[in-house]
Amino acid sequence: MDSIDRRLLDEFQHDLPLVAEPYAAIGRTLGIGEDEVIARLKRLVEAGAVARIGAVMRPHSCGHSTLAAMAVPPERLEAVAALVSAYGEVNHNYQREHRLNLWFVVAAAGPDDVRAVLDDIARRTGIEVLDLPMLEDFHIDLGFPLRWT
């Protein structure tokens, strides 16, 4: 990872340029071309340094989402997590040290679509999926200033 990768990761966590060609605008800021920005982002995603590139929307302002949790037997955790991650409606999942050890967020066009994903995961795994809908929203700044050593 070089200094341009570091700037790309640090400076564009917020305020992605809202223009027809955002990667070209980022490239101008970084002094590189649009194709190089895209290639670097692809490489960073493949390396696991970037999980996703996209907007964060206020919940239920564009579609519907829910937090879900499952109690997965430890010996099945990796396989179930991979199955959950394969759904396009799942934007991330993570393991927790708890009886409910697999947590994930499902986002889809509407509540029926979210329910269909949860039901399909339960059907395919044979494990109950706990739906934890949002009762009150909180603003969470998802950007993290990066410190480079």
Side-chain angles (χ1 to χ4, degrees):
M1 185 176 308
D2 64 15
S3 63
I4 293 174
D5 285 342
R6 290 185 191 95
R7 287 185 62 202
L8 184 57
L9 291 174
D10 203 33
E11 294 177 24
F12 295 96
Q13 292 183 53
H14 296 94
D15 302 321
L16 187 73
L18 295 176
V19 297
E21 296 178 333
Y23 301 115
I26 290 170
R28 284 190 294 278
T29 300
L30 298 175
I32 59 176
E34 177 182 33
D35 290 342
E36 186 174 348
V37 170
I38 293 168
R40 285 173 180 269
L41 288 171
K42 182 178 179 185
R43 183 176 41 76
L44 290 166
V45 167
E46 290 170 354
V50 173
R52 66 179 290 277
I53 300 165
V56 176
M57 309 295 267
R58 185 173 44 84
H60 310 301
S61 63
C62 180
H64 190 79
S65 64
T66 196
L67 177 64
M70 300 172 73
V72 180
E75 66 276 8
R76 292 187 59 202
L77 187 61
E78 190 172 318
V80 172
L83 181 142
V84 168
S85 290
Y87 284 82
E89 298 88 352
V90 173
N91 57 25
H92 67 280
N93 73 45
Y94 50 96
Q95 178 182 356
R96 295 192 66 176
E97 292 183 19
H98 186 272
R99 183 183 67 77
L100 296 168
N101 56 351
L102 183 65
W103 292 65
F104 54 97
V105 173
V106 176
D112 292 342
D113 302 298
V114 168
R115 181 80 254 154
V117 171
L118 297 177
D119 289 347
D120 195 54
I121 290 170
R123 181 189 60 74
R124 291 177 66 193
T125 63
I127 301 170
E128 178 185 6
V129 179
L130 181 62
D131 184 359
L132 301 164
M134 181 180 64
L135 301 177
E136 183 177 344
D137 66 338
F138 295 90
H139 174 74
I140 300 173
D141 182 357
L142 297 175
F144 301 96
L146 305 173
R147 306 283 184 253
W148 306 101
T149 58

